């Protein structure tokens, strides 16, 4: 039975990966988070640890001795990274470098999560060969995290993704889907960027890609996203339509009108051919995924 350690296990991606690993029954899972465990799945080993504390992480790693590390933990808010640059560097770069060095020394497979925010958003439809050029400090820290992984642990894989959505009870951080649903429940107006374009990604698809990666153990960069390219505003309207929320609650605005601390790339989108060919990745269609989430959540 392969032993897998997942950082950021209370987050949207980390939590879904933990569930997917345990559902298959072929993995021993150690979930690591700075907060209290929010995953009640049977058979889970949980460790409360700060990924920036190398002594805490060394203790967890040395006791569990994983065959693979899935590193999803990060400071993921672009605005928070902009305002807390020292902390963002420590979390996103230094903690990642520590894990990469550990995995290299112990011959442990490392799968590191990154973002479309490593690109400037001018070109759109980026491939793994396109040159990154982040426009925010968050994007810069994630690009640097990629570089330290590739330098310190050449056998590692880096999964870039974008605008990930999903739903859990007691989520530690909202995603675009939960924010839209909250606005619907509270009858609250939400201003949404109409000039930012993405390929929204269902979290379940990413968890399935992890299972494939743990079997095939590829290395290098991979792009993962949904298969539909649309504005963030249009995505919000699609959510509203499926969940029966009045469209009038959502107001299209320009990015500049949102007064956010961090600049967001205008147009990203990924070419996902490598993920499809090497990891058999097939994204769920947008409407199908939203209907599935609605049925499972009872909304």
């Amino acid at each position: 039975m392969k032993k897998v350690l997942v950082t950021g296990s209370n987050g949207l991606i980390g939590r879904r990966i933990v569930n997917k690993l345990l559902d298959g029954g072929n993995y021993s899972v150690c979930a690591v988070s700075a907060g209290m465990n929010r995953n009640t799945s049977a058979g889970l080993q949980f460790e409360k640890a700060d990924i920036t504390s190398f002594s805490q992480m060394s203790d967890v790693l040395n006791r569990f001795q994983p065959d693979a590390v899935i590193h999803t933990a990060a400071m993921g808010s672009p605005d928070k990274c902009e305002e807390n640059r020292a902390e963002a560097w420590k979390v996103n770069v230094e903690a990642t470098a520590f894990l990469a060095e550990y995995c290299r020394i112990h011959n442990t497979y490392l799968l590191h999560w990154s973002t479309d925010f490593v690109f400037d958003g001018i070109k759109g439809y980026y491939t793994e060969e396109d040159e990154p050029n982040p426009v925010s400090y968050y994007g810069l820290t994630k690009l640097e995290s990629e570089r330290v992984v590739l330098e310190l642990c050449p056998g590692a894989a880096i999964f870039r993704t974008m605008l990930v959505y999903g739903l859990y009870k007691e989520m530690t951080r909202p995603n675009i889907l939960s924010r839209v649903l909250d606005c619907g429940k509270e009858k609250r107006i939400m201003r949404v960027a109409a000039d930012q374009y993405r390929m929204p990604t269902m979290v379940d698809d990413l968890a399935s890609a992890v299972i494939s990666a743990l079997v095939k153990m590829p290395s290098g960069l991979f792009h993962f996203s949904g298969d539909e390219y649309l504005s963030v505003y249009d995505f919000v309207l699609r959510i509203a339509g499926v969940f029966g929320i009045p469209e009038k609650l959502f107001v299209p605005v320009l990015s500049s009108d949102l007064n956010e601390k961090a600049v967001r790339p205008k147009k990203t989108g990924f070419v996902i051919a490598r993920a499809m060919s090497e990891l058999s990745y097939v994204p769920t269609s947008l409407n199908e995924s939203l209907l599935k989430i609605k049925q499972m959540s009872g909304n």
Side-chain angles (χ1 to χ4, degrees), residues 3-297:
K3 300 169 71 175
V4 182
L5 183 142
V6 181
T7 70
S9 62
N10 281 341
L12 180 63
I13 296 177
R15 195 166 169 182
R16 189 67 192 95
I17 289 170
V18 167
N19 289 340
K20 189 77 172 178
L21 291 169
L22 292 172
D23 287 346
N26 299 318
Y27 298 94
S28 173
V29 181
C30 178
V32 179
S33 179
M36 300 304 295
N37 183 29
R38 294 178 182 270
N39 194 314
T40 57
S41 299
L44 175 67
Q45 176 180 332
F46 177 78
E47 298 284 348
K48 188 175 184 295
D50 178 355
I51 63 165
T52 66
S53 170
F54 300 158
S55 61
Q56 289 183 25
M57 288 305 300
S58 292
D59 178 61
V60 172
L61 289 162
N62 291 331
R63 283 190 288 108
F64 187 67
Q65 297 184 351
D67 300 301
V69 172
I70 313 298
H71 183 38
T72 76
M75 184 184 287
S77 165
D79 294 333
K80 187 176 179 182
C81 287
E82 208 69 42
E83 295 176 307
N84 303 276
R85 293 193 170 199
E87 183 184 358
W89 187 268
K90 191 173 183 181
V91 173
N92 291 350
V93 182
E94 293 179 6
T96 301
F98 171 80
L99 287 173
E101 181 69 6
Y102 173 90
C103 289
R104 181 187 64 80
I105 292 171
H106 293 85
N107 196 30
T108 301
Y109 183 64
L110 174 61
L111 199 165
H112 172 57
W113 287 87
S114 192
T115 172
D116 59 326
F117 277 44
V118 300
F119 295 108
D120 54 24
I122 295 174
K123 171 182 175 289
Y125 283 109
Y126 290 97
T127 71
E128 291 87 350
E129 288 73 36
D130 284 318
E131 190 69 25
N133 183 35
V135 293
S136 67
Y137 195 72
Y138 166 64
L140 175 65
T141 63
K142 293 304 289 183
L143 178 58
E144 287 302 313
S145 76
E146 292 182 4
R147 288 175 174 163
V148 297
V149 166
L150 293 173
E151 178 183 343
L152 297 174
C153 191
I158 295 171
F159 283 11
R160 290 175 179 155
T161 190
M162 68 178 72
L163 199 61
V164 181
Y165 61 94
L167 206 58
Y168 279 116
K169 292 181 180 178
E170 299 182 18
M171 291 198 302
T172 55
R173 182 183 168 206
N175 63 82
I176 189 165
L177 173 60
S178 65
R179 288 172 58 211
V180 169
L181 296 183
D182 286 345
C183 286
K185 290 176 183 176
E186 300 166 10
K187 303 295 188 289
R188 175 165 44 86
I189 297 295
M190 178 177 174
R191 301 164 76 229
V192 188
D195 59 348
Q196 293 179 28
Y197 290 80
R198 304 285 186 264
M199 297 172 76
T201 311
M202 185 187 189
V203 70
D204 299 59
D205 292 340
L206 299 177
S208 296
V210 168
I211 300 299
S212 182
L214 289 174
V215 173
K216 299 180 179 181
M217 298 180 67
S219 61
L221 288 166
F222 288 85
H223 283 180
F224 292 89
S225 70
D227 61 359
E228 196 163 340
Y229 185 75
L230 70 172
S231 72
V232 177
Y233 173 68
D234 286 334
F235 178 42
V236 164
L237 293 188
R238 293 281 283 276
I239 297 171
V242 169
F243 285 85
I245 300 170
E247 291 187 2
K248 65 182 180 181
L249 294 177
F250 306 102
V251 180
V253 298
L254 297 177
S255 299
S256 56
D257 295 328
L258 292 173
N259 298 316
E260 295 170 314
K261 298 290 184 181
V263 177
R264 271 72 169 169
K266 288 293 181 64
K267 299 178 180 180
T268 58
F270 281 157
V271 175
I272 58 174
R274 186 183 183 199
M276 295 178 73
S277 64
E278 295 187 30
L279 292 172
S280 303
Y281 177 72
V282 180
T284 307
S285 72
L286 185 53
N287 281 355
E288 181 184 347
S289 68
L290 291 174
L291 286 169
K292 180 180 177 181
I293 292 170
K294 181 182 179 181
Q295 291 168 357
M296 293 180 65
S297 66

